[in-house]
Amino acid sequence: MPSNKSVSDAPIVQFTNCRILRSHQLQREDLWVREGKILNPEKLFFDEKGSADIQLDCKDSIIAPGFIDVQINGGFGVDFSLATDDFKSGIDLVSQKILSHGVTSFCPTLVTSPPSVYHQVLPQISIRNGGVHGAGILGAHLEGPFISKEKKGAHPEHCLRTFEAGAFQDLLATYGSLDCVQIVTLAPEMKRSSEVIRELTKQGICVSLGHSVANLSQAEEAVQHGASFITHLFNAMLPFHHRDPGIVGLLTSDKIPAGRRVFYGMISDGIHTNPAALRIAHRAHPKGLVLVTDAIAGMGLAPGRHTLGQQVVEIDGLNTYIAGTKTLSGSVATMDTCVRHFQEATGCSVETALEAASLHPAQLLGIEHKKGTLNYDSDADFLMLNDDLYVQATYIAGEEVWRQDAFGM
């Protein structure tokens, strides 16, 4: 009879006494992991006649997929939109520090910047797996500079750009390279945006609509050309109006192509979006909601003056403003805080809150076959949380990469 060693010599770890988030429900069953992947125990028992080499008692914790942050501008004093000599050590620091907040993979985000910044920074961002060194990098999110002057928010006006005759060539010249780019946020009402959206989508890059004065038909047209995401819903776009709901109207539009889903990011920090607006969006289109932090360099630091790309921002409690104004500029919220606030504000289930930070961003990026779920053969990136959704331990590829000191096994 074959033993479990006939397939692999790698140890099999069995996580017991836990509730696993699987198929949208917390289920009381064990989690089996080998070589960084989640195992099907039936195959293990019946096909391999295998058993666990190590058993870990989870003490009734919730086990959920690792969080995926698709919009994070920096944190802990590091600003991804600043071209510095030690950029790589900065991105390493952030990827290490966000493990304690349950983030196992992320998209470092650059706000509107001069072309020279993109040309210096983007070659220093490489897509990589997570591990003890930090959360995995899924590719960059470029938010701007092809956005609306009227809805620029905290983006510097002198760096904004439009598409000229070459449209896609303009974009390539601005960014320098799309090799490590995962998401581009642009304003769909800009001339020639349709051809840019089509070309980006063809290259497997997710197009997000944001910082825009688009009306609903312009937004619908962008989706028909391939756009699939909305950058921080309600922020930096026309407010909802009953005769033309603008980009917000995509949540209930009947012009979305069959088989397609529009996702939308929300900064659930209690500041960027009133809880009532959070509830409206969630009730209108629950399966599209993606929690993002939109965190800036000041996340994890004391109040005071910090940067966001070319601008100076001021942190006052949980509020972040462009210095000397009342213009909101990103957040200092962590992903686990956003998940807890979302659950509290909407009264949704624990499962729903956790999936908004894991399953939905994975589906948005088309990586749900390996991230964002605890399905068999998925990457074993997962969290142990208590019932109040505080992270107790973070695992990447089945390996513990962070643990709350007070939480002993």
Side-chain angles (χ1 to χ4, degrees), residues 91-313:
I91 209 165
D92 288 349
L93 175 76
V94 174
S95 65
Q96 228 295 308
K97 292 270 200 182
I98 56 180
L99 295 174
S100 65
H101 301 294
V103 178
T104 54
S105 35
F106 70 110
C107 293
T109 304
L110 277 73
V111 295
T112 295
S113 303
S116 60
V117 169
Y118 298 113
H119 294 197
Q120 282 174 273
V121 168
L122 288 179
Q124 299 187 70
I125 297 176
S126 49
I127 294 169
R128 68 181 187 206
N129 292 327
V132 181
H133 57 274
I137 297 174
L138 299 169
H141 177 169
L142 306 181
E143 188 188 356
F146 301 98
I147 57 172
S148 153
K149 191 190 292 188
E150 293 87 341
K151 290 293 175 186
K152 66 183 188 297
H155 292 236
E157 189 169 326
H158 70 278
C159 295
L160 299 182
R161 299 174 80 87
T162 54
F163 296 120
E164 301 307 326
F168 190 68
Q169 292 310 313
D170 295 338
L171 178 137
L172 271 182
T174 302
Y175 295 147
S177 164
L178 293 172
D179 288 351
C180 67
V181 176
Q182 182 73 255
I183 304 172
V184 171
T185 292
L186 53 77
E189 71 275 14
M190 295 181 90
K191 279 185 185 153
R192 302 190 178 83
S193 66
S194 296
E195 54 195 272
V196 172
I197 293 169
R198 278 198 302 268
E199 189 57 42
L200 286 169
T201 306
K202 204 191 294 178
Q203 298 200 19
I205 292 169
C206 165
V207 175
S208 189
L209 311 179
H211 288 276
S212 160
V213 292
N215 60 33
L216 179 56
S217 65
Q218 289 168 324
E220 287 170 335
E221 191 183 333
V223 171
Q224 285 151 12
H225 287 126
S228 58
F229 194 38
I230 303 169
T231 296
H232 45 52
L233 187 78
F234 297 125
N235 297 113
M237 60 186 62
L238 291 178
F240 178 88
H241 189 282
H242 57 284
R243 277 193 291 277
D244 191 334
I247 289 177
V248 178
L250 288 175
L251 270 60
T252 56
S253 168
D254 58 0
K255 304 277 195 309
I256 308 298
R260 290 267 309 282
R261 185 188 305 177
V262 173
F263 292 89
Y264 58 97
M266 292 207 80
I267 309 165
S268 168
D269 61 354
I271 288 155
H272 278 77
T273 318
N274 184 285
L278 200 53
R279 288 191 286 275
I280 287 170
H282 177 246
R283 287 175 195 176
H285 184 28
K287 290 189 171 158
L289 194 148
V290 173
L291 293 177
V292 297
T293 60
D294 198 18
I296 62 168
M299 176 179 71
L301 301 182
R305 292 200 161 202
H306 302 281
T307 66
L308 176 60
Q310 312 297 303
Q311 314 255 49
V312 175
V313 298

Side-chain angles (χ1 to χ4, degrees), residues 335-351:
M335 185 58 92
D336 54 327
T337 308
C338 290
V339 170
R340 290 191 294 271
H341 176 73
F342 172 59
Q343 203 229 341
E344 191 183 326
T346 61
C348 71
S349 67
V350 162
E351 292 94 331

